[in-house]
Coordinates of all heavy atoms in Angstrom, one line a residue:
T206 N -17.3 46.2 -3.9 CA -16.2 46.6 -4.8 C -15.7 45.3 -5.5 O -15.1 45.4 -6.6 CB -15.1 47.3 -4.1 OG1 -15.7 48.4 -3.4 CG2 -14.1 47.8 -5.0
A207 N -15.7 44.2 -4.8 CA -15.2 42.9 -5.3 C -16.0 41.8 -4.8 O -16.2 41.6 -3.6 CB -13.7 42.8 -5.0
L208 N -16.6 41.0 -5.7 CA -17.3 39.7 -5.3 C -16.3 38.6 -5.6 O -15.9 38.4 -6.8 CB -18.5 39.6 -6.2 CG -19.4 38.3 -5.9 CD1 -20.1 38.5 -4.5 CD2 -20.4 38.0 -7.0
I209 N -15.8 37.9 -4.6 CA -14.8 37.0 -4.8 C -15.2 35.6 -4.2 O -16.1 35.5 -3.4 CB -13.5 37.4 -4.1 CG1 -13.5 37.3 -2.6 CG2 -13.1 38.9 -4.5 CD1 -12.1 37.2 -1.9
N210 N -14.4 34.6 -4.5 CA -14.5 33.3 -3.9 C -13.4 33.1 -2.9 O -12.3 33.8 -3.0 CB -14.3 32.2 -5.0 CG -14.4 30.8 -4.5 OD1 -13.4 30.3 -4.0 ND2 -15.5 30.2 -4.7
D211 N -13.6 32.4 -1.8 CA -12.6 32.2 -0.8 C -11.3 31.7 -1.3 O -10.3 32.1 -0.7 CB -13.2 31.4 0.4 CG -13.6 30.0 -0.1 OD1 -13.6 29.7 -1.3 OD2 -13.9 29.1 0.8
T212 N -11.4 30.9 -2.3 CA -10.1 30.3 -2.8 C -9.3 31.4 -3.5 O -8.1 31.4 -3.4 CB -10.4 29.2 -3.8 OG1 -11.5 28.4 -3.3 CG2 -9.3 28.3 -4.0
T213 N -9.9 32.3 -4.3 CA -9.2 33.4 -4.9 C -8.6 34.3 -3.8 O -7.5 34.8 -3.9 CB -10.1 34.2 -5.8 OG1 -10.8 33.3 -6.7 CG2 -9.3 35.2 -6.6
G214 N -9.4 34.5 -2.8 CA -8.9 35.3 -1.7 C -7.7 34.7 -1.0 O -6.8 35.4 -0.6
T215 N -7.8 33.4 -0.8 CA -6.7 32.6 -0.2 C -5.4 32.8 -1.0 O -4.3 33.0 -0.5 CB -7.0 31.1 -0.1 OG1 -8.1 31.0 0.8 CG2 -5.8 30.3 0.4
L216 N -5.5 32.7 -2.4 CA -4.4 32.9 -3.2 C -3.8 34.3 -3.0 O -2.6 34.5 -2.9 CB -4.8 32.8 -4.7 CG -3.8 33.2 -5.8 CD1 -2.6 32.3 -5.7 CD2 -4.5 33.1 -7.2
I217 N -4.6 35.4 -3.1 CA -4.1 36.7 -3.0 C -3.6 37.1 -1.6 O -2.5 37.7 -1.5 CB -5.3 37.7 -3.4 CG1 -5.7 37.5 -4.9 CG2 -4.8 39.2 -3.2 CD1 -4.5 37.6 -5.9
A218 N -4.3 36.7 -0.5 CA -3.9 37.0 0.8 C -2.5 36.3 1.1 O -1.6 36.8 1.8 CB -4.9 36.5 1.8
S219 N -2.4 35.0 0.6 CA -1.2 34.3 0.9 C 0.0 34.9 0.1 O 1.1 35.0 0.7 CB -1.3 32.8 0.5 OG -2.4 32.2 1.3
N220 N -0.2 35.3 -1.1 CA 0.8 36.0 -1.9 C 1.2 37.3 -1.3 O 2.4 37.7 -1.4 CB 0.4 36.1 -3.3 CG 1.4 36.7 -4.2 OD1 1.5 38.0 -4.4 ND2 2.3 35.9 -4.8
Y221 N 0.3 38.0 -0.6 CA 0.6 39.3 0.0 C 1.7 39.1 1.1 O 2.5 40.1 1.2 CB -0.7 39.8 0.7 CG -0.6 41.1 1.4 CD1 -0.4 42.3 0.7 CD2 -0.9 41.2 2.8 CE1 -0.4 43.5 1.4 CE2 -0.9 42.4 3.5 CZ -0.6 43.5 2.8 OH -0.6 44.7 3.4
T222 N 1.8 38.0 1.7 CA 2.8 37.8 2.8 C 3.9 36.9 2.4 O 4.9 36.8 3.1 CB 2.1 37.3 4.1 OG1 1.5 36.0 3.8 CG2 1.1 38.2 4.7
D223 N 3.7 36.2 1.2 CA 4.7 35.2 0.7 C 4.7 35.2 -0.8 O 3.8 34.6 -1.4 CB 4.5 33.8 1.3 CG 5.4 32.8 0.7 OD1 6.3 33.1 -0.1 OD2 5.2 31.6 1.1
D224 N 5.6 35.9 -1.5 CA 5.5 36.0 -2.9 C 5.9 34.8 -3.7 O 5.8 34.8 -4.9 CB 6.3 37.2 -3.4 CG 7.8 37.1 -3.1 OD1 8.3 36.0 -2.8 OD2 8.6 38.1 -3.3
Q225 N 6.1 33.7 -3.0 CA 6.3 32.4 -3.6 C 5.0 31.6 -3.8 O 5.0 30.6 -4.4 CB 7.3 31.5 -2.8 CG 8.7 32.1 -2.7 CD 9.3 32.3 -4.1 OE1 9.4 31.4 -4.9 NE2 9.7 33.5 -4.4
M226 N 3.9 32.1 -3.2 CA 2.6 31.5 -3.3 C 2.1 31.7 -4.8 O 2.0 32.8 -5.3 CB 1.6 32.2 -2.4 CG 1.9 31.9 -0.9 SD 1.5 30.2 -0.5 CE 1.9 30.2 1.3
R227 N 1.7 30.5 -5.4 CA 1.2 30.5 -6.7 C -0.1 29.9 -6.9 O -0.8 30.0 -7.9 CB 2.2 29.8 -7.7 CG 3.5 30.6 -7.9 CD 3.2 31.9 -8.7 NE 4.4 32.7 -8.9 CZ 4.8 33.7 -8.1 NH1 4.1 34.0 -7.0 NH2 5.9 34.4 -8.3
I228 N -0.6 29.2 -5.8 CA -1.9 28.5 -5.9 C -2.5 28.7 -4.5 O -1.8 28.6 -3.5 CB -1.7 27.0 -6.1 CG1 -1.0 26.7 -7.5 CG2 -3.1 26.2 -6.1 CD1 -0.6 25.3 -7.7
G229 N -3.8 28.9 -4.5 CA -4.6 29.0 -3.3 C -5.6 27.8 -3.3 O -6.2 27.5 -4.3
C230 N -5.6 27.1 -2.2 CA -6.5 25.9 -2.1 C -7.4 25.9 -0.8 O -7.0 26.5 0.2 CB -5.7 24.6 -2.0 SG -4.9 24.1 -3.5
I231 N -8.5 25.3 -1.0 CA -9.4 25.1 0.2 C -9.7 23.6 0.3 O -10.1 22.9 -0.6 CB -10.8 25.8 0.0 CG1 -10.6 27.3 -0.2 CG2 -11.7 25.6 1.2 CD1 -10.1 28.1 1.0
F232 N -9.4 23.1 1.5 CA -9.7 21.7 1.8 C -10.6 21.8 3.1 O -10.0 21.8 4.2 CB -8.5 20.9 2.1 CG -7.5 20.9 1.0 CD1 -6.2 21.4 1.1 CD2 -7.8 20.4 -0.3 CE1 -5.3 21.4 0.1 CE2 -6.9 20.4 -1.3 CZ -5.6 20.9 -1.1
G233 N -11.9 21.9 3.0 CA -12.7 22.1 4.1 C -14.1 21.4 3.8 O -14.2 20.3 3.4
T234 N -15.2 22.2 4.1 CA -16.5 21.8 3.8 C -16.6 21.4 2.3 O -17.3 20.4 2.0 CB -17.5 22.9 4.1 OG1 -17.3 23.3 5.4 CG2 -19.0 22.3 4.0
G235 N -15.9 22.2 1.5 CA -15.8 21.8 0.0 C -14.3 21.8 -0.3 O -13.5 21.7 0.5
C236 N -14.0 21.7 -1.6 CA -12.6 21.7 -2.1 C -12.6 22.6 -3.3 O -13.5 22.6 -4.1 CB -12.1 20.3 -2.3 SG -12.9 19.5 -3.8
N237 N -11.4 23.3 -3.5 CA -11.3 24.2 -4.6 C -9.9 24.7 -4.7 O -9.1 24.5 -3.8 CB -12.2 25.3 -4.5 CG -12.4 26.1 -5.8 OD1 -12.1 25.7 -6.9 ND2 -13.0 27.3 -5.7
A238 N -9.5 25.3 -5.8 CA -8.2 26.0 -6.0 C -8.3 27.2 -6.9 O -9.3 27.2 -7.7 CB -7.2 25.0 -6.5
A239 N -7.4 28.1 -6.8 CA -7.3 29.3 -7.7 C -5.8 29.5 -8.0 O -5.0 29.1 -7.2 CB -7.9 30.5 -7.0
Y240 N -5.6 30.0 -9.2 CA -4.2 30.3 -9.6 C -4.3 31.4 -10.6 O -5.4 31.8 -11.1 CB -3.6 29.0 -10.2 CG -4.1 28.7 -11.6 CD1 -3.4 29.0 -12.7 CD2 -5.3 28.0 -11.8 CE1 -3.9 28.7 -14.0 CE2 -5.8 27.7 -13.0 CZ -5.1 28.0 -14.1 OH -5.6 27.7 -15.4
M241 N -3.1 31.9 -11.0 CA -3.1 33.1 -11.9 C -2.8 32.5 -13.3 O -1.8 31.9 -13.5 CB -2.0 34.1 -11.5 CG -2.3 35.5 -12.0 SD -3.8 36.3 -11.3 CE -3.3 36.6 -9.6
E242 N -3.6 32.8 -14.3 CA -3.5 32.4 -15.7 C -3.2 33.7 -16.5 O -3.5 34.8 -16.1 CB -4.8 31.8 -16.2 CG -4.7 31.1 -17.5 CD -3.7 30.0 -17.6 OE1 -4.0 28.9 -17.3 OE2 -2.6 30.4 -18.1
E243 N -2.6 33.5 -17.7 CA -2.4 34.6 -18.7 C -3.7 34.7 -19.5 O -4.2 33.7 -20.0 CB -1.2 34.4 -19.5 CG 0.1 34.5 -18.8 CD 0.4 33.2 -18.1 OE1 0.2 32.1 -18.6 OE2 1.0 33.3 -17.0
C244 N -4.1 35.9 -19.8 CA -5.4 36.1 -20.5 C -5.3 35.4 -21.9 O -6.3 35.0 -22.4 CB -5.7 37.6 -20.7 SG -6.3 38.4 -19.2
G245 N -4.1 35.4 -22.5 CA -3.9 34.8 -23.8 C -4.2 33.3 -23.8 O -4.3 32.6 -24.8
E246 N -4.2 32.7 -22.6 CA -4.4 31.2 -22.4 C -5.9 30.9 -22.1 O -6.2 29.8 -21.6 CB -3.5 30.7 -21.4 CG -2.0 30.8 -21.7 CD -1.6 30.0 -22.9 OE1 -2.1 28.8 -23.0 OE2 -0.8 30.5 -23.7
I247 N -6.8 31.9 -22.2 CA -8.2 31.7 -21.8 C -9.0 32.0 -23.0 O -9.5 33.1 -23.2 CB -8.5 32.7 -20.6 CG1 -7.5 32.7 -19.5 CG2 -9.9 32.4 -20.1 CD1 -7.7 33.7 -18.4
P248 N -9.2 31.0 -23.9 CA -10.0 31.2 -25.1 C -11.4 31.8 -24.9 O -11.9 32.6 -25.8 CB -10.1 29.8 -25.7 CG -8.9 29.1 -25.2 CD -8.7 29.6 -23.8
K249 N -12.0 31.5 -23.8 CA -13.4 32.0 -23.6 C -13.5 33.5 -23.4 O -14.6 34.0 -23.4 CB -14.1 31.2 -22.5 CG -13.6 31.3 -21.1 CD -14.3 30.4 -20.2 CE -13.8 30.3 -18.8 NZ -14.5 29.3 -18.0
I250 N -12.4 34.2 -23.2 CA -12.5 35.6 -23.1 C -11.7 36.3 -24.2 O -11.4 37.5 -24.2 CB -12.0 36.2 -21.7 CG1 -10.6 35.8 -21.4 CG2 -13.0 35.7 -20.6 CD1 -10.0 36.5 -20.2
A251 N -11.3 35.5 -25.3 CA -10.5 36.1 -26.4 C -11.2 37.2 -27.0 O -10.6 38.2 -27.5 CB -10.2 35.0 -27.4
H252 N -12.6 37.2 -27.1 CA -13.3 38.3 -27.7 C -13.2 39.6 -27.1 O -13.5 40.7 -27.6 CB -14.8 37.9 -27.8 CG -15.4 37.8 -26.4 ND1 -15.2 36.7 -25.6 CD2 -16.3 38.6 -25.7 CE1 -15.9 36.9 -24.4 NE2 -16.5 38.0 -24.5
M253 N -12.6 39.7 -25.8 CA -12.5 40.9 -25.1 C -11.2 41.6 -25.4 O -11.0 42.8 -25.0 CB -12.6 40.6 -23.6 CG -13.9 39.9 -23.2 SD -14.2 39.9 -21.5 CE -14.8 41.6 -21.2
N254 N -10.3 40.9 -26.2 CA -9.1 41.6 -26.7 C -8.2 42.1 -25.5 O -7.7 43.2 -25.7 CB -9.4 42.6 -27.7 CG -10.1 42.1 -28.9 OD1 -9.6 41.1 -29.5 ND2 -11.1 42.7 -29.4
L255 N -8.1 41.4 -24.4 CA -7.3 41.8 -23.3 C -5.8 41.5 -23.7 O -5.5 40.7 -24.5 CB -7.6 41.1 -22.1 CG -9.1 41.3 -21.6 CD1 -9.4 40.4 -20.4 CD2 -9.3 42.7 -21.1
P256 N -4.9 42.3 -23.1 CA -3.5 42.0 -23.4 C -3.2 40.5 -23.1 O -3.5 40.0 -22.0 CB -2.7 42.9 -22.4 CG -3.7 44.0 -22.2 CD -5.0 43.4 -22.2
P257 N -2.6 39.7 -24.0 CA -2.4 38.3 -23.8 C -1.5 37.9 -22.6 O -1.7 36.9 -22.0 CB -1.8 37.8 -25.1 CG -1.2 39.0 -25.8 CD -2.1 40.2 -25.3
D258 N -0.6 38.9 -22.2 CA 0.2 38.6 -21.0 C -0.4 39.1 -19.7 O 0.2 38.9 -18.6 CB 1.6 39.1 -21.2 CG 1.6 40.6 -21.4 OD1 0.5 41.2 -21.6 OD2 2.7 41.2 -21.3
A259 N -1.6 39.7 -19.8 CA -2.2 40.2 -18.5 C -2.6 39.0 -17.6 O -3.2 38.1 -18.1 CB -3.4 41.1 -18.9
P260 N -2.3 39.1 -16.3 CA -2.7 38.0 -15.4 C -4.2 38.1 -15.1 O -4.8 39.1 -15.1 CB -1.8 38.3 -14.2 CG -1.6 39.8 -14.2 CD -1.5 40.2 -15.6
M261 N -4.7 36.9 -14.9 CA -6.1 36.8 -14.5 C -6.3 35.6 -13.5 O -5.9 34.5 -13.9 CB -7.0 36.5 -15.7 CG -8.5 36.4 -15.4 SD -9.3 37.9 -14.9 CE -9.5 38.7 -16.6
A262 N -6.8 35.9 -12.3 CA -7.0 34.8 -11.4 C -8.1 33.9 -11.8 O -9.2 34.5 -12.2 CB -7.2 35.4 -10.0
I263 N -7.9 32.6 -11.8 CA -9.0 31.7 -12.2 C -9.4 30.9 -11.0 O -8.6 30.3 -10.2 CB -8.4 30.7 -13.3 CG1 -8.0 31.4 -14.6 CG2 -9.5 29.6 -13.5 CD1 -9.2 32.0 -15.3
N264 N -10.7 31.0 -10.7 CA -11.3 30.2 -9.7 C -11.8 28.9 -10.3 O -12.8 28.8 -11.0 CB -12.5 31.0 -9.1 CG -13.4 30.1 -8.2 OD1 -12.9 29.2 -7.6 ND2 -14.7 30.4 -8.2
C265 N -11.0 27.8 -10.0 CA -11.3 26.6 -10.8 C -12.6 25.9 -10.5 O -13.3 25.5 -11.4 CB -10.2 25.6 -10.4 SG -8.5 26.0 -10.8
E266 N -13.1 26.0 -9.2 CA -14.3 25.2 -8.8 C -14.2 23.8 -9.2 O -15.1 23.2 -9.8 CB -15.6 25.9 -9.5 CG -15.9 27.2 -8.9 CD -16.3 27.2 -7.4 OE1 -16.5 26.1 -6.8 OE2 -16.4 28.3 -6.8
Y267 N -13.0 23.2 -8.9 CA -12.8 21.8 -9.4 C -13.4 20.7 -8.5 O -13.1 19.6 -8.6 CB -11.3 21.6 -9.7 CG -10.3 21.6 -8.6 CD1 -10.5 21.2 -7.3 CD2 -9.0 22.0 -8.9 CE1 -9.6 21.2 -6.3 CE2 -8.0 22.0 -7.9 CZ -8.3 21.6 -6.6 OH -7.3 21.6 -5.7
G268 N -14.3 21.1 -7.6 CA -15.1 20.1 -6.9 C -15.9 19.3 -7.9 O -16.3 18.2 -7.6
A269 N -16.1 19.9 -9.1 CA -16.9 19.3 -10.2 C -16.0 18.4 -11.1 O -16.5 17.9 -12.1 CB -17.6 20.3 -11.0
F270 N -14.7 18.3 -10.7 CA -13.8 17.4 -11.6 C -14.4 16.0 -11.8 O -14.9 15.4 -10.9 CB -12.4 17.3 -10.9 CG -11.6 16.3 -11.5 CD1 -11.1 16.3 -12.8 CD2 -11.2 15.2 -10.7 CE1 -10.3 15.4 -13.3 CE2 -10.4 14.2 -11.3 CZ -9.9 14.3 -12.6
D271 N -14.3 15.6 -13.0 CA -14.7 14.2 -13.5 C -16.1 13.9 -13.1 O -16.4 12.8 -12.6 CB -13.7 13.2 -12.9 CG -13.8 11.9 -13.6 OD1 -14.2 11.9 -14.8 OD2 -13.5 10.8 -13.0
N272 N -17.0 14.8 -13.3 CA -18.5 14.5 -13.1 C -18.9 13.3 -14.0 O -19.9 12.7 -13.8 CB -19.4 15.7 -13.3 CG -19.4 16.6 -12.1 OD1 -19.0 16.3 -11.0 ND2 -19.9 17.8 -12.3
Q273 N -18.1 13.2 -15.1 CA -18.4 12.1 -16.1 C -17.9 10.7 -15.6 O -18.1 9.7 -16.2 CB -17.8 12.4 -17.4 CG -18.2 13.8 -18.0 CD -19.7 13.9 -18.1 OE1 -20.4 13.0 -18.6 NE2 -20.2 15.1 -17.7
L274 N -17.2 10.7 -14.5 CA -16.7 9.5 -13.8 C -15.8 8.7 -14.7 O -15.9 7.4 -14.8 CB -17.9 8.7 -13.3 CG -18.8 9.4 -12.3 CD1 -19.9 8.5 -11.9 CD2 -18.0 9.9 -11.1
K275 N -14.8 9.3 -15.4 CA -13.9 8.6 -16.3 C -12.7 8.0 -15.5 O -12.2 7.0 -15.9 CB -13.4 9.6 -17.4 CG -14.5 10.0 -18.4 CD -14.0 10.9 -19.4 CE -15.1 11.3 -20.4 NZ -14.6 12.3 -21.4
V276 N -12.3 8.7 -14.5 CA -11.1 8.2 -13.7 C -11.3 8.1 -12.2 O -10.5 7.4 -11.6 CB -9.9 9.1 -14.0 CG1 -9.5 9.1 -15.5 CG2 -10.1 10.5 -13.6
L277 N -12.2 8.7 -11.6 CA -12.4 8.7 -10.2 C -12.7 7.3 -9.7 O -13.6 6.6 -10.2 CB -13.4 9.7 -9.7 CG -13.1 11.1 -9.7 CD1 -14.3 12.0 -9.3 CD2 -11.9 11.4 -8.8
P278 N -12.0 6.8 -8.7 CA -12.2 5.4 -8.2 C -13.3 5.4 -7.2 O -13.1 5.2 -6.0 CB -10.8 5.1 -7.6 CG -10.3 6.4 -7.1 CD -10.8 7.4 -8.0
R279 N -14.5 5.6 -7.6 CA -15.7 5.6 -6.7 C -16.0 4.2 -6.1 O -16.0 3.2 -6.9 CB -16.9 6.2 -7.4 CG -16.8 7.7 -7.6 CD -18.1 8.4 -7.4 NE -19.2 7.9 -8.2 CZ -20.4 8.5 -8.2 NH1 -20.6 9.7 -7.5 NH2 -21.4 8.1 -9.0
T280 N -16.4 4.2 -4.9 CA -16.9 3.0 -4.3 C -18.4 3.1 -4.3 O -19.0 4.1 -4.6 CB -16.4 2.9 -2.8 OG1 -17.0 4.0 -2.0 CG2 -14.9 3.0 -2.7
K281 N -19.1 2.0 -3.9 CA -20.5 2.0 -3.8 C -21.0 3.0 -2.7 O -22.1 3.6 -2.8 CB -21.1 0.7 -3.4 CG -20.6 0.0 -2.1 CD -21.2 -1.4 -2.0 CE -20.7 -2.1 -0.7 NZ -21.2 -3.4 -0.6
Y282 N -20.1 3.3 -1.7 CA -20.5 4.3 -0.7 C -20.5 5.7 -1.3 O -21.4 6.5 -0.9 CB -19.5 4.2 0.5 CG -19.3 2.7 0.9 CD1 -18.1 2.1 0.7 CD2 -20.4 2.0 1.6 CE1 -17.9 0.8 1.1 CE2 -20.2 0.7 2.0 CZ -19.0 0.1 1.7 OH -18.8 -1.2 2.1

Side-chain angles (χ1 to χ4, degrees):
T206 308
L208 182 73
I209 75 157
N210 181 277
D211 56 352
T212 320
T213 311
T215 295
L216 170 65
I217 298 303
S219 298
N220 182 270
Y221 180 66
T222 57
D223 175 0
D224 62 11
Q225 297 302 304
M226 290 287 181
R227 290 293 177 268
I228 302 171
C230 287
I231 301 292
F232 306 118
T234 309
C236 70
N237 195 14
Y240 73 101
M241 205 66 74
E242 187 60 88
E243 292 80 38
C244 287
E246 298 294 320
I247 312 173
K249 63 185 174 184
I250 60 168
H252 63 284
M253 304 193 75
N254 297 314
L255 299 173
D258 60 347
M261 178 73 78
I263 297 294
N264 166 30
C265 299
E266 291 295 349
Y267 65 34
F270 166 64
D271 198 27
N272 281 346
Q273 306 304 314
L274 303 179
K275 293 180 179 178
V276 295
L277 285 176
R279 287 219 303 187
T280 67
K281 60 183 176 181
Y282 312 109

